[in-house]
Amino acid sequence: MSLVEISNLNAWYGDKHVLKNINLEIPRNIIFAIMGPSGCGKSTLLRAMNRLLELNPNAKVSGQVKIDGIDVYSDKIDITWVRRQFGMVFQIPNPFPHLSIYDNVAIGPRMNGLVKNKSELDQLVKWALEKAYLWDEVKNDLKKPASMLSGGQQQRLCIARALALKPKIILMDEPTANLDPVAASKIEELMLELKEDYTIVIVTHNPQQAARVSDYVAFLYMGELIEVGETSQVFTRPVHKLTERYVVGKIG
Amino acid sequence: MNRRRLEEKIMLGVISLLAIISAIPIFAIIINIYSEGLKYVSLSFLIDFPPPPISGGAGGIGPALVGSLILIGLATVIGGAIGFFTGLYLSEYSHTKLAQYTQMFLQIMVEFPTIIIGLFAYSVLVAPLKRFNAFAGAFALSIVIIPYIALNVREAYKSIPYTLKEAAFSLGLSYPKVYLRVLLSTAKRGVLTALLIGMAKAGGETAPLLLTILGTTFTYFEGLDQPINAIPLLIYNFALSPYERWHQVAWGASAVLLTIILTIFIISRLVVKEVKI
């Protein structure tokens, strides 16, 4: 069974139909890229998975998203549980600026009651920061505010914050779009490392990035899923004309 | 110097002068009140009962000061709680009709003559009990400050970047945890400023108290269902009296009231200054 199964997913903002009948399966322990030009619905698709889309009062969703076979849109489900299954990293690094580096990572497990005591929390924070390749850079500054970190460090802190909840999958919404090339390549390396233990879905408007990091790729265009497959396949022998034009840079 | 430069200089000179003129009243008031009133203020002035009009000691404003502190505290608790949650609702559910209408009503309420609010408190809390009472005063002041607090809390929450809200919700936190813990700590300076503005407003209002608390001379606090005094009300009553000594008490009380209000505003300025993201 795939980790995530999306079937007949539609989304609207008001009257605007932004996701049109999406069907998609995301296997385990891979990097799955969703690429497409700006405004094609990639970020919406990501937010439809963890139901963050519902923060927008104009958004409406129909269809099914299953994680490990559980429908996240079922009436009986606890939405906070759903969101904890998906760690999320955003386009603009968004650590809580008033909280310390430590607290940014600790806040999720602490407020969700996932740890029993302080030492368990300390261990979890250390583990998450190590996983995000940040521990060595911040281990002496854990009490300092997150706002003192560089953009790339802040983004890795956000990855640590997501990991600390022990999610089943990590959603990344253009995680390198606001970083310089060095910081961006660090995040890409980190993703390849994390793939050992996690499934990562990355949204990107940059086909080169999708080609570099992903195992599977889906091409989204104007709310429709045009093509999906193994990355090497899609980039070398695209089935659809639109995909071919996109990967060679003619649209987007 | 060409004509255009000259015009610019004249324009700048005129608006600078007008800016200075508009600031004059503040300084004039502060200098006036302190030069007239500060000489009467002492520790015993803050504690003692007011003097008899003719003979006896210097006296003080003890009951009015205690009354003002109680009224400010109570109004800030009641008005602060209602105003805070109203402001939070206005910020986070701004797309709803209820929020849009509520906001419009609050904006009207800011402009409401406060004597009308005092009259309303009189009719619902004084007339039925047949007694002027402290709670009616606190109730009236709460209504006065709710719109100020609500609209400022709304601004405080509105100023939080959307991406931080997304971050908080993505951690699987419930609405109360997101808004009252994670985001409140981001907006705390704005929220604190809102409460301080409300406090200052509650401390300075006279009109809502005229018809509610009556004013006392020789009791500090006898219970919320009993009359109480407040500094603005004491100033109003004593300044209108024919007695020179009561005029002096009114000046001294004005200096105390001005100090309370200025202190609150200075604190709120310091709080705002620290805001940085």
Side-chain angles (χ1 to χ4, degrees):
Chain A
M1 184 174 63
S2 295
L3 179 59
V4 175
E5 295 162 293
I6 297 172
S7 38
N8 303 324
L9 186 72
N10 285 276
W12 295 262
Y13 291 123
D15 295 331
K16 201 168 160 233
H17 199 176
V18 286
L19 286 179
K20 297 169 188 163
N21 213 33
I22 306 289
N23 289 284
L24 198 60
E25 291 197 9
I26 300 174
R28 287 160 206 273
N29 291 68
I30 53 136
I31 298 180
F32 192 106
I34 300 170
M35 63 179 185
S38 302
C40 70
K42 336 181 266 301
S43 294
T44 306
L45 177 55
L46 215 55
R47 283 166 174 74
M49 289 189 213
N50 67 349
R51 295 185 62 179
L52 213 52
L53 198 57
E54 288 159 47
L55 294 184
N56 182 331
N58 292 318
K60 224 171 51 201
V61 180
S62 79
Q64 222 177 31
V65 175
K66 283 185 176 174
I67 180 155
D68 265 339
I70 302 168
D71 180 8
V72 305
Y73 284 100
S74 142
D75 289 340
K76 290 180 206 109
I77 210 125
D78 173 8
I79 192 167
T80 63
W81 178 88
V82 171
R83 288 178 181 152
R84 284 200 297 276
Q85 309 312 306
F86 297 84
M88 186 142 180
V89 178
F90 299 83
Q91 184 172 358
I92 299 167
N94 58 357
F96 300 112
H98 57 290
L99 293 183
S100 69
I101 292 168
Y102 179 95
D103 283 335
N104 260 283
V105 183
I107 186 168
R110 190 192 276 146
M111 283 200 181
N112 281 304
L114 303 181
V115 285
K116 285 197 249 349
N117 53 45
K118 175 89 170 76
S119 74
E120 202 176 307
L121 186 60
D122 285 348
Q123 274 174 13
L124 181 59
V125 169
K126 181 169 185 242
W127 171 85
L129 286 168
E130 280 173 346
K131 276 270 170 202
Y133 284 174
L134 193 59
W135 175 252
D136 287 334
E137 290 162 58
V138 301
K139 64 183 173 200
N140 298 318
D141 297 322
L142 291 176
K143 296 283 162 230
K144 295 201 177 145
S147 51
M148 64 161 268
L149 297 174
S150 72
Q153 287 174 322
Q154 289 192 13
Q155 196 62 305
R156 279 179 280 144
L157 180 62
C158 291
I159 293 173
R161 178 176 69 189
L163 291 173
L165 284 170
K166 302 269 174 105
K168 292 197 169 117
I169 183 168
I170 300 169
L171 309 177
M172 295 187 169
D173 186 6
E174 307 217 21
T176 62
N178 284 282
L179 301 180
D180 64 72
V182 176
S185 71
K186 251 191 170 158
I187 300 279
E188 287 184 8
E189 277 170 43
L190 175 57
M191 289 170 65
L192 294 170
E193 190 74 25
L194 289 172
K195 185 172 79 168
E196 304 296 317
D197 306 308
Y198 290 91
T199 303
I200 298 174
V201 180
I202 178 176
V203 154
T204 179
H205 66 266
N206 177 351
Q208 283 81 34
Q209 184 173 48
R212 274 197 305 274
V213 299
S214 72
D215 305 293
Y216 278 75
V217 66
F219 174 54
L220 214 58
Y221 189 72
M222 295 176 74
E224 287 183 64
L225 185 62
I226 305 296
E227 186 161 349
V228 58
E230 286 186 33
T231 304
S232 53
Q233 180 88 26
V234 171
F235 275 83
T236 53
R237 292 184 301 279
V239 176
H240 205 288
K241 263 265 167 281
L242 268 173
T243 316
E244 188 181 334
R245 292 182 58 202
Y246 180 75
V247 298
V248 298
K250 288 204 174 131
I251 43 174
Chain B
M1 187 157 50
N2 64 31
R3 198 191 145 94
R4 195 175 55 81
R5 295 277 299 275
L6 185 67
E7 277 177 2
E8 274 174 21
K9 285 224 148 143
I10 292 172
M11 180 71 191
L12 185 63
V14 170
I15 57 178
S16 305
L17 189 67
L18 290 174
I20 293 168
I21 288 173
S22 72
I24 286 175
I26 292 183
F27 293 103
I29 289 168
I30 292 174
I31 292 166
N32 176 249
I33 297 289
Y34 280 143
S35 67
E36 294 279 356
L38 219 45
K39 54 181 175 271
Y40 305 113
V41 179
S42 62
L43 187 59
S44 64
F45 183 77
L46 300 177
I47 298 168
D48 290 350
F49 292 142
I54 314 282
S55 61
I61 57 164
L65 179 59
V66 169
S68 266
L69 295 178
I70 289 172
L71 288 172
I72 292 173
L74 205 56
T76 307
V77 169
I78 300 171
I82 298 173
F84 172 79
F85 285 104
T86 308
L88 182 55
Y89 180 78
L90 293 184
S91 165
E92 301 313 315
Y93 293 87
S94 56
H95 56 281
T96 61
K97 276 268 175 293
L98 179 60
Q100 283 154 14
Y101 281 116
T102 306
Q103 187 172 333
M104 191 179 75
F105 292 140
L106 290 175
Q107 275 157 349
I108 295 169
M109 260 174 77
V110 169
E111 309 298 339
F112 246 42
T114 50
I115 187 76
I116 303 277
I117 295 169
L119 190 61
F120 171 68
Y122 174 86
S123 72
V124 298
L125 284 172
V126 176
L129 296 175
K130 298 194 167 46
R131 188 195 290 137
F132 291 100
N133 62 80
F135 185 76
F139 172 77
L141 290 177
S142 305
I143 295 180
V144 171
I145 69 176
I146 282 170
Y148 288 86
I149 294 178
L151 294 172
N152 279 292
V153 166
R154 171 184 173 277
E155 287 308 308
Y157 270 94
K158 277 261 176 234
S159 70
I160 300 173
Y162 185 69
T163 166
L164 284 186
K165 286 181 196 174
E166 280 197 309
F169 278 109
S170 80
L171 296 176
L173 303 176
S174 60
Y175 269 81
K177 277 178 182 155
V178 169
Y179 286 117
L180 301 182
R181 293 179 62 182
V182 183
L183 297 182
L184 179 58
S185 59
T186 311
K188 66 182 171 215
R189 293 200 169 95
V191 171
L192 201 56
T193 306
L195 293 178
L196 287 168
I197 289 171
M199 280 176 86
K201 189 85 193 144
E205 278 293 326
T206 317
L209 304 178
L210 289 172
L211 299 167
T212 49
I213 62 171
L214 184 64
T216 60
T217 313
F218 301 116
T219 56
Y220 292 97
F221 177 63
E222 301 274 283
L224 289 177
D225 60 338
Q226 298 293 328
I228 197 172
N229 209 345
I231 299 177
L233 190 61
L234 174 137
I235 295 169
Y236 173 79
N237 287 328
F238 277 27
L240 285 180
S241 77
Y243 310 112
E244 178 61 26
R245 299 188 56 197
W246 280 11
H247 294 170
Q248 293 169 357
V249 173
W251 278 117
S254 302
V256 173
L257 182 61
L258 189 60
T259 307
I260 293 174
I261 304 296
L262 287 178
T263 307
I264 294 174
F265 271 109
I266 289 168
I267 293 172
S268 73
R269 283 292 99 185
L270 293 178
V271 163
V272 170
K273 226 181 181 171
E274 271 189 60
V275 173
K276 53 172 186 265
I277 289 260

